[in-house]
């Protein structure tokens, strides 16, 4: 019973951390909105909790935002965040957390000793998770722009404006997330699972 309450508290705490990161932007010339770290936090919390539990903080965060609290970047909230061209990212965060959590598996105290296999598994989970974020966004861009640009034009727009400028940054985020996960996962395992 005590671990169940602790798990619920950790999920809420991680969701709050994801919310808080929406208010931080790294300004980058040429990118109007700057670089956000919410997507990396969704993947980090998923990898820390592992398995199906990994998606819970992100799902809670997105649900609270869609219900109206201004937790998304720029203080946005409400159902309308899913109805514009960037709405795919919100869905992508949940999918990314699910995929990253499933690939990373549940943490264990044995992970105190870093192995090559563990580094590969966590790296794969984080990189695939960060790339999965873009799949729903691609579908959104195609849906919003196919009437004016056609499907091919919408895909080119997505690649040029939504994907290419951020892929290198996401790989840098992935490296940081993997290092943090390697350090924190054994602690999470000690308190929540073992």
């Amino acid at each position: 019973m005590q671990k169940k309450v602790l798990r619920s508290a950790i999920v809420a705490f991680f969701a709050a951390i994801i919310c808080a990161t929406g208010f931080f932007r790294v300004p980058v010339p040429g990118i109007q909105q700057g670089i956000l770290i919410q997507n990396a936090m969704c993947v980090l919390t998923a990898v820390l909790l592992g398995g199906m539990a990994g998606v819970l903080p992100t799902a809670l965060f997105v649900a609270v935002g869609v219900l109206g609290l201004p937790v998304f970047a720029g203080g946005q909230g409400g159902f309308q965040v899913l109805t514009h061209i960037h709405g795919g990212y919100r869905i992508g965060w949940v999918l990314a957390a699910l995929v990253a959590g499933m690939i990373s598996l549940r943490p264990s105290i044995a992970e105190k000793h870093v192995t090559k296999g563990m580094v590969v598994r966590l790296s794969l989970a984080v990189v695939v998770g960060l790339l999965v974020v873009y799949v729903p966004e691609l579908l959104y861009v195609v849906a919003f722009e196919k009437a004016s640009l056609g499907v091919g034009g919408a895909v080119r727009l997505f690649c040029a404006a939504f994907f290419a400028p951020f892929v290198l940054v996401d790989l840098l985020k992935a490296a940081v997330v993997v290092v943090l996960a390697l350090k924190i996962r054994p602690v999470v395992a000690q308190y929540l699972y073992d």
Side-chain angles (χ1 to χ4, degrees), residues 97-172:
L98 178 65
V99 168
M102 296 306 285
I103 293 172
S104 66
L105 304 174
R106 196 169 100 173
S108 166
I109 288 183
E111 293 181 11
K112 284 182 181 179
H113 306 289
V114 177
T115 64
K116 183 178 177 183
M118 182 179 17
V119 172
V120 169
R121 187 179 75 244
L122 291 180
S123 298
L124 180 67
V126 170
V127 170
V128 170
L130 286 172
L131 290 176
V132 164
V133 169
Y134 293 104
V135 174
E137 184 58 24
L138 170 62
L139 298 175
Y140 262 66
V141 171
V142 168
F144 275 86
E145 299 295 335
K146 72 178 175 185
S148 60
L149 300 174
V151 173
V155 169
R156 283 191 294 280
L157 171 67
F158 168 78
C159 289
F162 295 88
F163 183 69
F166 301 105
V167 124
L168 181 61
V169 171
D170 279 349
L171 291 175
L172 293 173

Side-chain angles (χ1 to χ4, degrees), residues 6 27 88 100 106 134 179-180:
L6 183 59
R106 196 169 100 173
Y134 293 104
V179 169
L180 289 172

Side-chain angles (χ1 to χ4, degrees), residues 23-48:
F23 299 103
F24 299 103
R25 295 174 189 254
V26 178
V28 175
I31 299 176
Q32 181 183 7
Q33 294 177 337
I35 302 296
L36 300 172
I37 59 171
Q38 271 184 325
N39 62 340
M41 289 307 297
C42 292
V43 172
L44 175 62
T45 59
V47 170
L48 291 178

